[in-house]
Amino acid sequence: MIVDQNKCIGCGICTLYCPADAITIRLNAEGKRKAVIDQDTCLECGNCIRRRVVKCPADAIYELPEEERSIGRRMRRFFSDPSTTHPLTGVPGRGTEEVKTNDVTGRVCRGELGLCLELGRPVLGTDVREIQKATTALAELGVKLEDCNPLYDLLEDPVKGTFKEEFLDERFVSAIIEFTIPFERGEEVLNKVREIAEEVNTVFSLDMVCCYDEDGTIPALELCRNMGFEPRFNSKVNVGLGRPYVIDKEERDRRNAQ
Amino acid sequence: MTHSLHRRGTYEELKDEYLLLVTIANGVNNSPDAKDKLRRVLDEMWDVGPVNTGSNETGTILSGVSVDEIKQGFTKVPRIRCCFDSKEKIREMLRRLIAMDLGVSVTISGSRSDVEELCREFGIKPHSVNLSLQVWGRTEKLPEEDIMKFITMCGHGLISRTLVEDTINKVKAGKMTPEQGAVRIGTPCVCGFFNPTRAVALLQKYVPAAGQN
Ligand code: SF4
Ligand code: SF4
């Protein structure tokens, strides 16, 4: 985003709302207070131009038309502004619908685990170099990254988990590394996640999708606890009302093959 | 994505908070009548009485958007997001969703054991769960827990630490009520998951005692 220096009256409202602390008030050559957005720090989250959020009294904040924005800046927007929809996924947001539609997509069926490492969340944000530390470490295990995720588009080599050079310095509010593994690989992958936590210079929120067993238990709970990854009491439960319903992976694979 | 997950707070603070997500799956059950189905869900949800709702495209009722605007703003893959502040309300909403039998995916974010109990009550079997396995990495760089409780009400990361701190200071100085503060902090949340009821409760402790200001 950019501040029109002629319009800005230096009220400072916008500085409060920027989650990246990218906006500062400076005195210009004439000694007038003006807001300035640091382009390296701005993540293009859109807060400052949303008419119901900052409500800039001088209507001074704007963005360049799409065709004049670099691909890097457009990518920042996809990974930072939830009101944008990436053409690859067709849904708003930074990842798949994970558990939200899992009863009909069968993305994670019984006998499988879905993992999400959301780099940069909460608060700190992330650049692509940090994401790459995690994706390359996971690639060493042969983990296949979710291809219906906007991150996939930025990869140079999905097998190695490396990103295209031109994106490495881009920064996002957060990006979600998603993948599904057989349940038996849970221990090995969680050990790798622990190593990644030591390596990255940001935070990540970790979550795991798992189906309920027929008797209403969650097999992943014991695995997580044994590995020292204590699940929080608050979770997201897909209550299973969607159709066509799928929970069995053979059935899912049959359906997908049709 | 997982924006309703990873909320900070104790069970006592979070036990009355239920986030409802009704979602159509792109390419699976995105039938021509999907928008109509979700409009019906939206009407029922509004009747039950959420404390917040919205959409990424329009913004939230907390920031001044009307329910009709949210309805008009449905995209070709429509979805509903809202926040209830009691177990009774989510129970009633779930009862209505089961009765409507629309075949759309319904996810509830909240205390896992309480949601499972509701499912048992209605005789339905939950399909799958997304477990929050906490935050990892350089956690020492994060703001203190009291600030995190507000910030994590927006899983999209749109609530700034500066806004929360400034609002707390205004409440402490008696320049803003907790109700005004909750709306101010919750405005950047675009999907409608920010819970103003819990935010008011969290801000209460900063209200100066009578005669202090
Ligand atoms: S809100 Fe608008 S007028 Fe006020 S400082 Fe920011 S850009 Fe300038
Ligand atoms: S777009 Fe977001 S990150 Fe960039 S200056 Fe505006 S509020 Fe800050």
Side-chain angles (χ1 to χ4, degrees), chain A residues 16 47 96-98 100 103 121 201 204 206-208 210 212 214 232-233 235-238 246, chain B residues 1 5-7 79 101 105 108 110 112 116 125 127-133 136 138 158 160:
Chain A
L16 294 173
N47 256 2
T96 64
E97 297 283 20
E98 32 82 34
K100 296 192 275 285
D103 52 350
R121 176 182 176 190
N201 190 24
F204 60 92
L206 178 65
D207 43 272
M208 182 185 274
C210 178
Y212 282 81
E214 201 50 40
R232 280 181 62 75
F233 64 87
S235 306
K236 239 164 128 175
V237 179
N238 181 320
V246 60
Chain B
M1 63 177 292
L5 212 55
H6 309 296
R7 295 184 157 214
R79 40 178 38 204
D101 191 25
S105 297
I108 301 171
R112 185 172 64 252
E116 288 169 352
K125 286 185 174 178
H127 177 278
S128 39
V129 61
N130 196 349
L131 302 165
S132 163
L133 302 184
W136 295 80
R138 303 292 300 274
L158 297 180
S160 80

Side-chain angles (χ1 to χ4, degrees), chain A residues 3 7-15 23 25 34-35 54-61:
Chain A
V3 176
K7 287 185 176 174
C8 174
I9 55 170
C11 69
I13 295 170
C14 53
T15 61
I23 317 177
I25 299 288
K34 299 284 175 184
V54 167
K55 308 180 191 91
C56 168
D59 201 13
I61 309 173

Side-chain angles (χ1 to χ4, degrees), chain A:
Chain A
M1 300 300 157
I2 300 169
V3 176
D4 183 331
Q5 297 295 302
N6 293 322
K7 287 185 176 174
C8 174
I9 55 170
C11 69
I13 295 170
C14 53
T15 61
L16 294 173
Y17 288 85
C18 177
D21 288 333
I23 317 177
T24 47
I25 299 288
R26 299 189 195 154
L27 294 181
N28 69 5
E30 293 148 29
K32 287 192 177 143
R33 283 165 54 86
K34 299 284 175 184
V36 177
I37 296 178
D38 180 84
Q39 294 302 304
D40 280 344
T41 317
C42 168
L43 305 175
E44 306 289 353
C45 76
N47 256 2
C48 55
I49 50 162
R50 251 173 228 119
R51 68 191 162 89
R52 293 185 194 272
V53 180
V54 167
K55 308 180 191 91
C56 168
D59 201 13
I61 309 173
Y62 69 99
E63 66 178 334
L64 292 171
E66 173 135 1
E67 61 279 10
E68 288 176 40
R69 274 180 274 148
S70 69
I71 175 83
R73 293 226 79 83
R74 275 185 278 151
M75 285 304 134
R76 285 187 187 220
R77 194 85 194 266
F78 283 129
F79 288 94
S80 304
D81 182 346
S83 68
T84 54
T85 295
H86 193 283
L88 184 71
T89 59
V91 294
R94 295 158 208 164
T96 64
E97 297 283 20
E98 32 82 34
V99 83
K100 296 192 275 285
T101 51
N102 197 37
D103 52 350
V104 298
T105 61
R107 204 176 75 79
V108 180
C109 283
R110 282 193 183 134
E112 297 177 322
L113 296 171
L115 275 112
C116 300
L117 284 73
E118 188 166 356
L119 271 283
R121 176 182 176 190
V123 181
L124 302 187
T126 185
D127 60 33
V128 177
R129 280 182 206 281
E130 295 305 316
I131 303 168
Q132 187 170 261
K133 286 180 188 170
T135 48
T136 50
L138 291 163
E140 284 168 17
L141 299 183
V143 161
K144 187 184 173 305
L145 301 174
E146 169 69 50
D147 52 14
C148 195
N149 174 305
L151 264 188
Y152 202 81
D153 231 17
L154 312 188
L155 287 167
E156 172 76 44
D157 184 341
V159 178
K160 291 187 185 144
T162 50
F163 286 88
K164 293 172 190 154
E165 184 71 29
E166 70 259 41
F167 295 123
L168 287 176
D169 291 323
E170 294 301 340
R171 283 189 66 76
F172 309 142
V173 167
S174 71
I176 310 174
I177 301 169
E178 286 180 273
F179 51 94
T180 302
I181 52 169
F183 191 93
E184 312 78 71
R185 296 200 67 192
E187 197 175 321
E188 174 194 14
V189 171
L190 284 177
N191 274 327
K192 184 59 85 177
V193 168
R194 206 189 299 278
E195 283 174 30
I196 293 168
E198 296 294 317
E199 290 298 314
V200 290
N201 190 24
T202 184
V203 285
F204 60 92
S205 295
L206 178 65
D207 43 272
M208 182 185 274
V209 177
C210 178
C211 285
Y212 282 81
D213 268 349
E214 201 50 40
D215 63 0
T217 57
I218 305 167
L221 282 181
E222 199 188 333
L223 166 75
C224 294
R225 287 186 178 131
N226 290 344
M227 299 284 300
F229 287 80
E230 182 62 33
R232 280 181 62 75
F233 64 87
N234 42 345
S235 306
K236 239 164 128 175
V237 179
N238 181 320
V239 300
L241 298 181
R243 284 191 301 274
Y245 186 88
V246 60
I247 198 161
D248 176 77
K249 58 177 187 274
E250 281 77 31
E251 190 188 326
R252 173 200 61 198
D253 294 344
R254 260 197 311 278
R255 201 175 80 180
N256 290 346
Q258 278 169 10

Side-chain angles (χ1 to χ4, degrees), chain B residues 1-212:
Chain B
M1 63 177 292
T2 58
H3 60 304
S4 69
L5 212 55
H6 309 296
R7 295 184 157 214
R8 307 300 304 183
T10 62
Y11 174 77
E12 265 316 296
E13 287 167 328
L14 289 159
K15 70 177 169 33
D16 294 321
E17 180 171 285
Y18 293 93
L19 309 169
L20 174 75
L21 305 92
V22 183
T23 314
I24 298 287
N26 197 18
V28 181
N29 57 6
N30 193 14
S31 53
D33 61 348
K35 279 190 192 178
D36 279 342
K37 284 180 177 175
L38 287 220
R39 283 189 188 113
R40 286 172 57 200
V41 174
L42 197 67
D43 287 339
E44 295 294 333
M45 177 268 284
W46 191 240
D47 189 51
V48 172
V51 285
N52 199 5
T53 185
S55 78
N56 292 337
E57 294 76 28
T58 55
T60 63
I61 54 168
L62 200 66
S63 64
V65 173
S66 72
V67 147
D68 278 339
E69 284 174 86
I70 296 168
K71 225 187 262 184
Q72 299 308 324
F74 276 156
T75 60
K76 65 180 174 35
V77 190
R79 40 178 38 204
I80 287 174
R81 307 287 181 254
C82 79
C83 175
F84 291 109
D85 64 353
S86 78
K87 193 167 179 182
E88 288 64 43
K89 283 186 184 174
I90 192 69
R91 177 186 287 116
E92 175 58 16
M93 190 64 215
L94 185 56
R95 187 190 68 72
R96 293 188 191 196
L97 282 163
I98 293 168
M100 287 166 90
D101 191 25
L102 298 172
V104 295
S105 297
V106 173
T107 301
I108 301 171
S109 212
S111 152
R112 185 172 64 252
S113 56
D114 290 339
V115 176
E116 288 169 352
E117 190 185 299
L118 280 179
C119 290
R120 277 194 295 275
E121 215 177 295
F122 288 112
I124 56 172
K125 286 185 174 178
H127 177 278
S128 39
V129 61
N130 196 349
L131 302 165
S132 163
L133 302 184
Q134 316 273 355
V135 177
W136 295 80
R138 303 292 300 274
T139 50
E140 72 280 4
K141 291 184 175 180
L142 294 173
E144 61 189 86
E145 190 67 7
D146 279 351
I147 307 286
M148 291 301 292
K149 287 176 187 172
F150 293 98
I151 288 178
T152 55
M153 281 196 225
C154 171
H156 290 119
L158 297 180
I159 296 177
S160 80
R161 175 196 323 217
T162 319
L163 182 66
V164 175
E165 288 169 348
D166 185 76
T167 304
I168 288 175
N169 287 339
K170 285 197 162 53
V171 172
K172 276 182 183 165
K175 291 181 182 155
M176 201 174 262
T177 65
E179 288 75 15
Q180 291 167 329
V183 172
R184 188 182 193 227
I185 294 174
T187 305
C189 156
V190 289
C191 68
F193 278 162
F194 184 87
N195 180 354
T197 308
R198 183 156 64 92
V200 168
L202 290 170
L203 286 169
Q204 285 297 351
K205 74 171 182 189
Y206 302 108
V207 175
Q212 239 184 2

